[in-house]
Amino acid sequence: MAFSATLSCTVFFNLHKNRSRSSPPPHPPPISRQELRRSRGGSASSRSRSGRIRSFGAMEAATAEVAAAGESGGGMAKVPHVLTVAGSDSGAGAGIQADLKACAARGVYCSTVITAVTAQNTVGVQGVDNVPEEFVAEQLESVLSDMQVDVVKTGMLPSPGIVRILRKSLNKFPVKALVVDPVMVSTSGDVLAGPSVLDVFREELLPLADIVTPNLKEASALLGGRQLETIADMHSAVKLLHQMGPRHVLVKGGDLPGSCDAVDVFFDGERIHDLHAPRVKTRNTHGTGCTLASCIAAELAKGSSMLPAVQVAKRFVENALDYSKEISIGKGPQGPFDHFLMLNRKVHNFGKKIVLDPSDLFLYAVTDSGMNRKWGRSIEDAVKAAIEGGATIIQLREKDAETRNFLEAAKSCMEVCHSRGVPLLINDRIDIALACDADGIHVGQSDMPVRTARTLLGPEKIIGVSCKTPEQAQQAYMDGADYIGSGGIYPTNTKENNLTIGLEGLKAVCLSSKLPVVAIGGIGMSNAHAVMELGLPNLKGVAVVSALFDRECISTEARKLHEVLSGAAPEVK
């Protein structure tokens, strides 16, 4: 993971300072690792993916209840749901607060069970008050008995009793997956959980876990103080931790000494995966471990398999850290980062409200990764040349670009476009659009729904959507799109097997739409005039790819095309 923090998240506890307000209830009887494994359908190495579903005797009954509830709910959609069992961070950088923000950023509902309340800020932890164990049990019962939780994610579990209460609750109310983030080690490396807590983690929680996500110091503590200083050490650690029962292990190497990259090691019981990311130099790393584990839980709740969930979570935290690296919250050495990519005032212009002018669609230039490579151009150079030739709006469609490179290029393109008064949209990649504060986004029918994009981007951004039929055009208007891209009008090399609708299809879309329309697909010098000659009031322009970017001189081709569209030059045969 791309951060320099030494903790999964620094919501810590001190067993000696625990100010529990009442005596804990009797602990559930201990259960052996062998019994746990038998209840889950076999040994750790032999469990199948379906073994998790069958691991609890009550699963069939619970499934029947959910099905019955769905049948009686009038077809209402089930919302992916994560329950986090963790401590509260008054500074809101880590713990429960980070879990809530991470799940919200990933589009998942998150409920909470609070195990401890901390007084902390960016300087450190000033106080901890553990929640009485019987009240932790009451919170678990309240949420799990009612709210159809998909995934449980754990953070700060400050006593053996709370671990056992959680295990008992999961046996009573089974879930699809358990994500264990073992918050046990301080930034100084001190083990704050005593031997009894470590033992109960090993014996009773890890055998239930679908994934455990320790950092280097936490993994070392779980392994009895084993030193982890190299990637080879991490390879050994994931295998040893896997033997304790979890189905998957992710050891985070953000603190690995001498490493230029942030390397996390993932083990699925058969294969080891080294997950590399650039190391982000920033003080704003508080809550990275909590966020990573919560993002994994969110993706699992949405139905992802484990490795893709881990990869998405790692990219999310990397992007958030990079975006947040210069924000300033608090005076201490470890600040929080921005889960929603909205706090960096150097990037965001809060006084600016983008309103689409339909005339902006007149000459709509759409970039292409392959063409940039073919002609040896950067994205920035291609965009600058298109605007110099008369392009009135730019869409970055860089399907093959690596995320970090794409983001940096998008930021540069924003400067180019705004200095010339030209809107910049991002194709499909809402993460890039948010991170660079683009003017909007363009989505296809198989991409993110317009309503979802609007929720994430807010009311002030431009959203375009591709439509081939009148029905899609009408839906785009109801969903809150600002314009429609209709096509392909003609066959094109940029999208194989793309169904063309021709001029008649374009006409049908325009006549049924209340939104401005830009025609796209196979349009160039030879046919652009014919498209605009349809004379439809809401047909505002054409979008082009190859006609500009697969040419030696982009600016020259843009000027010629602008003239054709304006009727200042005859149609080129």
Side-chain angles (χ1 to χ4, degrees):
M1 183 55 54
F3 51 77
S4 59
T6 57
L7 251 192
S8 291
C9 63
T10 53
V11 181
F12 307 134
F13 53 85
N14 188 326
L15 296 177
H16 299 291
K17 291 183 180 179
N18 177 24
R19 302 190 296 274
S20 179
R21 288 165 291 217
S22 61
S23 300
H27 293 151
I31 183 169
S32 71
R33 186 181 305 152
Q34 290 74 22
E35 289 174 318
L36 282 168
R37 286 178 172 173
R38 282 197 298 271
S39 73
R40 300 189 69 197
S43 67
S45 60
S46 64
R47 289 193 297 271
S48 66
R49 287 191 182 277
S50 61
R52 177 69 193 176
I53 301 300
R54 299 189 180 96
S55 62
F56 303 100
M59 177 53 83
E60 288 79 9
T63 302
E65 287 183 17
V66 171
E71 291 174 359
S72 64
M76 295 176 67
K78 168 71 171 67
V79 176
H81 186 155
V82 170
L83 167 62
T84 172
V85 184
S88 171
D89 173 4
S90 59
I96 287 284
Q97 288 81 356
D99 298 340
L100 286 166
K101 288 185 282 188
C103 286
R106 299 308 306 159
V108 170
Y109 186 81
C110 184
S111 55
T112 64
V113 168
I114 298 177
T115 60
V117 179
T118 70
Q120 68 173 298
N121 51 27
T122 63
V123 176
V125 179
Q126 291 80 47
V128 179
D129 193 356
N130 288 357
V131 174
E133 291 176 2
E134 71 272 15
F135 195 68
V136 173
E138 190 172 345
Q139 293 178 74
L140 283 164
E141 177 85 17
S142 180
V143 175
L144 290 171
S145 66
D146 170 59
M147 300 185 73
Q148 300 179 30
V149 172
D150 296 302
V151 178
V152 169
K153 177 262 175 187
T154 71
M156 179 180 176
L157 303 176
S159 72
I162 287 179
V163 176
R164 294 189 175 105
I165 287 169
L166 175 61
R167 185 260 298 169
K168 184 177 180 180
S169 296
L170 291 175
N171 275 301
K172 184 177 180 181
F173 301 105
V175 294
K176 293 178 182 178
L178 172 64
V179 177
V180 174
D181 183 26
V183 180
M184 292 187 289
V185 186
S186 72
T187 49
S188 61
D190 296 326
V191 177
L192 300 179
S196 60
V197 176
L198 287 170
D199 288 343
V200 78
F201 255 88
R202 297 186 192 102
E203 296 294 328
E204 299 196 26
L205 194 61
L206 295 190
L208 290 176
D210 287 272
I211 185 169
V212 60
T213 63
N215 62 25
L216 292 177
K217 291 185 174 66
E218 292 159 350
S220 175
L222 287 168
L223 295 173
R226 184 186 184 95
Q227 292 299 305
L228 304 177
E229 298 178 346
T230 66
I231 293 177
D233 292 340
M234 295 170 70
H235 286 188
S236 299
V238 292
K239 292 181 178 179
L240 291 171
L241 289 168
H242 187 265
Q243 292 173 9
M244 295 180 184
R247 292 180 64 199
H248 304 86
V249 179
L250 179 71
V251 172
K252 299 170 292 190
D255 303 317
L256 193 68
S259 174
C260 296
D261 288 346
V263 184
D264 301 337
V265 176
F266 174 80
F267 184 52
D268 59 11
E270 296 181 359
R271 183 180 173 188
I272 289 177
H273 302 262
D274 291 343
L275 307 177
H276 290 257
R279 187 179 296 276
V280 179
K281 294 182 179 180
T282 175
R283 67 180 280 272
N284 297 318
T285 58
H286 185 48
T288 45
C290 302
T291 298
L292 178 71
S294 293
C295 285
I296 293 171
E299 297 306 309
L300 295 176
K302 290 189 284 187
S304 174
S305 54
M306 188 63 74
L307 180 57
V310 171
Q311 291 170 324
V312 167
K314 184 175 175 69
R315 285 197 299 270
F316 174 83
V317 176
E318 175 196 343
N319 290 339
L321 282 171
D322 184 63
Y323 174 84
S324 309
K325 60 189 176 185
E326 294 180 353
I327 64 175
S328 178
I329 298 176
K331 303 174 183 177
Q334 194 182 35
F337 64 99
D338 179 11
H339 293 74
F340 299 106
L341 310 181
M342 291 294 290
L343 298 178
N344 191 337
R345 292 180 180 268
K346 288 186 177 180
V347 174
H348 284 270
N349 183 349
F350 287 95
K352 182 178 181 182
K353 183 173 181 179
I354 302 299
V355 178
L356 177 67
D357 184 340
S359 64
D360 290 338
L361 302 174
F362 184 68
L363 180 50
Y364 190 130
V366 183
T367 67
D368 180 271
S369 302
M371 293 173 194
N372 285 335
R373 288 195 300 270
K374 174 182 176 181
W375 293 96
R377 302 184 184 109
S378 67
I379 304 172
E380 300 96 309
D381 288 341
V383 166
K384 187 179 297 183
I387 294 174
E388 288 173 354
T392 54
I393 190 168
I394 301 292
Q395 180 191 136
L396 300 188
R397 186 175 71 185
E398 298 293 314
K399 298 291 187 180
D400 302 324
E402 190 272 330
T403 295
R404 176 172 292 276
N405 294 338
F406 189 12
L407 176 57
E408 292 304 315
K411 290 177 180 178
S412 297
C413 290
M414 280 294 296
E415 294 180 7
V416 171
C417 289
H418 281 196
S419 68
R420 293 161 173 81
V422 173
L424 179 83
L425 309 184
I426 307 295
N427 178 265
D428 184 30
R429 293 290 301 274
I430 199 164
D431 57 333
I432 299 294
L434 286 167
C436 74
D437 194 25
D439 297 317
I441 190 170
H442 186 92
V443 296
Q445 290 294 320
S446 61
D447 297 329
M448 177 179 291
V450 171
R451 287 183 183 272
T452 304
R454 178 62 72 200
T455 299
L456 295 173
L457 289 173
E460 71 278 7
K461 298 295 186 179
I462 299 168
I463 299 179
V465 59
S466 299
C467 298
K468 292 181 180 293
T469 67
E471 293 75 18
Q472 291 174 350
Q474 292 162 7
Q475 189 64 48
Y477 173 77
M478 290 188 290
D479 288 345
D482 294 296
Y483 75 90
I484 287 169
S486 187
I489 309 304
Y490 304 108
T492 174
N493 294 326
T494 59
K495 287 190 176 182
E496 296 181 4
N497 303 318
N498 186 33
L499 177 66
T500 57
I501 63 173
L503 294 178
E504 286 303 313
L506 173 62
K507 184 176 180 180
V509 167
C510 288
L511 292 175
S512 65
S513 176
K514 298 179 180 180
L515 297 173
V517 178
V518 58
I520 189 168
I523 298 172
M525 294 288 290
S526 65
N527 54 30
H529 194 273
V531 172
M532 296 307 294
E533 272 191 328
L534 289 175
L536 299 165
N538 60 341
L539 179 59
K540 299 302 180 182
V542 299
V544 291
V545 186
S546 302
L548 294 188
F549 297 107
D550 199 14
R551 299 292 187 271
E552 183 176 359
C553 184
I554 294 173
S555 59
T556 297
E557 297 301 321
R559 277 191 290 270
K560 291 179 181 178
L561 190 52
H562 199 286
E563 290 174 354
V564 169
L565 293 173
S566 301
E571 180 183 354
V572 177
K573 300 294 185 182

